[in-house]
Amino acid sequence: MSKITPRPPDAIREADVVVLGSGVAGLATALHARGRRVTVLSKTEFAGGGSSVLAQGGVAVALGLDDSPEQHARDTMKVGGGLNDPRVVQLVTQEGPRRIREILHLGARLDRDSSGRLAMGREAAHSRRRVVHAAGDATGAELVRALSEAVRGLPNVRFEDRVLALELVVDHGRVIGLMAIDGSGELTLHSSSAVVLATGGIGQLYLHTTNPAEATADGLAMAARAGARLAGIEFVQFHPTALAVGENPLPLLTEALRGEGAVLVDETGSRFMERIHAEAELAPRDIVARAIWRHEQDGHDIFLDATGLAGRIADRFPTVLELCLQRGLDPRLQPMPVTPAAHYHMGGVAVDLDGRTSIDGLWACGEVAHTGLHGANRLASNSLLEALVFGSRIGERLAASGSGQSAARAGSLPTVPRLQVAHTPRLAGTSAEIAARLRTVMWDGVGLERTAQGMRRAMWEIRRLSEDAPDGLGELVNLLDAARLVARAAWARTESRGAHHRSDIPWQDHHWCQDLFFDGHEAIEPRPVAVAG
């Protein structure tokens, strides 16, 4: 395919802070960046896409009378495979209650019990009922609603919908903005002295995922090409119970169902988790997901039986009920077919306790960031908590740094970059076909169970797909770059730990009780940006 002629931006827009993403993490950042001129760029309709709005289970937070942040921290550490950062675990579990009170003050309608206290559910590997929720199982949507309504009223925040970010612009080791393209094809340089990545996860790398179509690893890939420090990217969490209906994405069946008593059975009606782990269906996610996957490999069909909750499903799990009814299933009367699916990325752009990355001016929060909270395996419902805490902290740090100047007005933008933009930066045509093949390659070779042979084959296939890909920046390039990153990190970790399981090395090695950090430039070949001169 012929090269695409690099083009300069059609427009330059200035802001003190550019936030990329309008989920819980991005909105919390914009809300707290008081006194700064903030632009929020959303890949989809503002506050209408991404994974946050799909989150069902809730927010894990120590607000119960029988609970404490210390106990929450112990549970978080227990499932993290020895890789949690204790400082981050302490910070998030201690700060969590305050952030929940803040969002309640904004008008978030969290569920309450008959006494008026916050209702709390229990999920896998939690020792207490500490998961607060909204509308039964629509917690993420309610948090996004409350945050977006609060942010919309702020005079210092402006929004741009349906914008695809293409590349960070770095000058002498500092981020000075990013290049993005909108639905009309206008290429814009968003000039800013602070860029916050809140772009979500990488689920569309996999054949089966609960992540929406827009989860194409954009933030991770852009940060890697800019040379940011990355960590933990081999750790991909597979949710045990996605509704197996052959869709992309697969509908999620919240873990709270199992917390309330739903059980896993095969086509014979037999339970199998009881002989695998003492906690049965409430074992850590990686254990349950692999048990289901192995049972499937043995030729069984797997179902989640919630018929024992029939009288409570409509009130407690209305989202699940509606998802099933739309597909001709009634969970009150019949078990639901399930399969594991890529759900959450524990790795990402390495950040400090305030969300700063290794590149001056670049921040990250939410799923795209690696804070050290989750270690090798995330405790259920800690993701929304992390997004609230770190998004709020980044916003507060940016607010405290003063009104500032955009990079362009500060005179620090010496040249205007030219980008080689794909004719179709979104997935379509040939790009969509290559992406579909990539998802199968990653599922087979870098999925729930990994081997040296399988990962070697996957890395070879990723290189071959990259050679077939159209030239230019866009979602396909991001997927291919992220696939190389994940496969390379998984290959490097020669042990099994948490969500990273190698069936050819099915044990932990104490020498690997540390995060695998690396510079994005060392992991993948950078894609140079030609500069107009």
Side-chain angles (χ1 to χ4, degrees):
M1 179 171 292
S2 62
K3 293 290 184 181
I4 301 170
T5 303
R7 53 181 280 205
D10 302 305
I12 298 177
R13 297 195 178 97
E14 302 172 5
D16 300 324
V17 179
V18 174
V19 178
L20 192 55
S22 61
V24 166
L27 291 171
T29 300
L31 178 67
H32 287 84
R34 297 179 178 88
R36 309 301 303 274
R37 296 177 307 140
V38 180
T39 296
V40 178
L41 303 179
S42 181
K43 191 175 179 181
T44 62
E45 180 182 356
F46 173 69
S51 295
S52 289
V53 295
L54 301 176
Q56 295 177 7
V59 185
V61 62
L63 289 172
L65 299 177
D66 65 341
D67 202 1
S68 67
E70 292 75 21
Q71 184 59 49
H72 186 185
R74 283 192 289 272
D75 289 349
T76 299
M77 298 284 290
K78 185 177 179 180
V79 304
L83 294 188
N84 313 76
D85 185 333
R87 301 170 306 156
V88 177
V89 174
Q90 181 182 27
L91 167 71
V92 173
T93 55
Q94 293 281 348
E95 195 169 309
R98 174 162 70 93
R99 298 305 180 185
I100 290 298
R101 294 187 184 102
E102 285 179 353
I103 202 163
L104 286 169
H105 183 71
L106 292 178
R109 299 184 288 260
L110 299 183
D111 296 336
R112 296 183 180 271
D113 60 23
S114 58
S115 67
R117 297 189 181 94
L118 287 175
M120 297 186 188
R122 184 184 175 194
E123 296 185 5
H126 286 275
S127 62
R128 302 286 189 275
R129 297 182 72 89
R130 66 164 66 96
V131 180
V132 299
H133 45 81
D137 56 355
T139 311
E142 175 58 16
L143 296 188
V144 169
R145 182 202 64 78
L147 286 166
S148 62
E149 288 186 3
V151 171
R152 284 181 191 274
L154 298 178
N156 64 307
V157 182
R158 60 183 295 270
F159 313 98
E160 292 192 27
D161 289 358
R162 306 185 188 285
V163 173
L164 175 63
L166 295 172
E167 201 76 317
L168 297 168
V169 181
V170 181
D171 181 55
H172 294 93
R174 177 178 179 81
V175 165
I176 56 174
L178 63 84
M179 302 287 283
I181 192 166
D182 65 18
S184 69
E186 181 177 78
L187 184 64
T188 301
L189 168 63
H190 292 272
S191 173
S192 178
S193 58
V195 173
V196 183
L197 299 176
T199 52
I202 66 170
Q204 287 297 320
L205 281 180
Y206 287 92
L207 179 64
H208 301 302
T209 182
T210 61
N211 288 187
E214 56 268 23
T216 52
D218 302 327
L220 179 68
M222 287 190 296
R225 292 194 294 268
R229 198 178 192 214
L230 311 172
I233 55 176
E234 66 270 34
F235 296 113
V236 180
Q237 187 172 77
F238 293 83
H239 198 287
T241 54
L243 191 63
V245 288
E247 301 174 9
N248 181 28
L250 292 175
L252 176 68
L253 298 181
T254 173
E255 195 160 280
L257 282 160
R258 285 175 281 134
E260 297 298 327
V263 296
L264 290 164
V265 298
D266 60 24
E267 75 283 356
T268 69
S270 301
R271 294 180 66 182
F272 55 92
M273 283 304 305
E274 293 174 308
R275 63 178 181 268
I276 293 172
H277 195 277
E279 295 291 332
E281 281 81 8
L282 292 182
R285 279 184 176 174
D286 64 306
I287 293 174
V288 180
R290 281 197 299 275
I292 293 173
W293 187 84
R294 288 169 178 167
H295 215 44
E296 288 178 337
Q297 300 308 299
D298 289 337
H300 294 283
D301 296 321
I302 312 300
F303 300 86
L304 183 64
D305 188 352
T307 55
L309 311 176
R312 292 188 288 147
I313 286 181
D315 292 332
R316 179 65 178 86
F317 302 105
T319 302
V320 168
L321 179 60
E322 182 62 23
L323 287 172
C324 289
L325 292 177
Q326 289 174 353
R327 292 159 178 84
L329 302 169
D330 190 336
R332 297 166 298 187
L333 303 175
Q334 62 192 124
M336 298 165 281
V338 296
T339 189
H343 182 61
Y344 189 86
H345 192 206
M346 274 79 70
V349 186
V351 298
D352 66 11
L353 292 175
D354 290 325
R356 295 182 182 89
T357 75
S358 62
I359 299 178
D360 193 17
L362 182 65
W363 308 65
C365 53
E367 193 172 351
V368 71
H370 177 83
T371 65
L373 173 65
H374 308 302
N377 193 30
R378 177 175 67 89
L379 182 66
S381 288
N382 267 357
S383 53
L384 288 177
L385 178 69
E386 180 191 45
L388 279 172
V389 169
F390 272 87
S392 301
R393 289 176 69 83
I394 290 174
E396 289 169 349
R397 299 307 179 270
L398 290 171
S401 66
S403 60
Q405 291 181 308
S406 74
R409 290 189 298 112
S412 59
L413 189 63
T415 54
V416 176
R418 292 176 178 266
L419 285 192
Q420 186 170 284
V421 183
H423 288 304
T424 307
R426 300 301 302 270
L427 293 175
T430 301
S431 293
E433 293 173 3
I434 294 174
R437 286 154 56 195
L438 178 65
R439 286 193 284 270
T440 297
V441 167
M442 290 295 290
W443 180 261
D444 292 341
V446 199
L448 282 90
E449 290 203 352
R450 302 164 177 179
T451 65
Q453 181 180 4
M455 288 185 289
R456 185 164 51 245
R457 183 185 303 114
M459 288 188 285
W460 182 86
E461 290 282 357
I462 292 166
R463 286 194 297 271
R464 189 172 62 82
L465 291 173
S466 298
E467 293 170 357
D468 293 339
D471 295 314
L473 294 164
E475 288 180 322
L476 180 60
V477 165
N478 294 336
L479 285 169
L480 290 165
D481 283 350
R484 279 198 296 275
L485 290 166
V486 175
R488 186 162 185 166
W491 170 268
R493 183 172 286 277
T494 53
E495 64 156 1
S496 290
R497 186 180 296 271
H500 171 70
H501 186 83
R502 290 188 57 160
S503 57
D504 56 349
I505 315 176
W507 55 79
Q508 286 190 4
D509 183 339
H510 71 277
H511 292 104
W512 276 106
C513 194
Q514 57 185 324
D515 268 322
L516 175 62
F517 288 90
F518 55 90
D519 183 291
H521 282 324
E522 296 175 1
I524 60 173
E525 180 182 351
R527 293 173 180 269
V529 175
V531 177

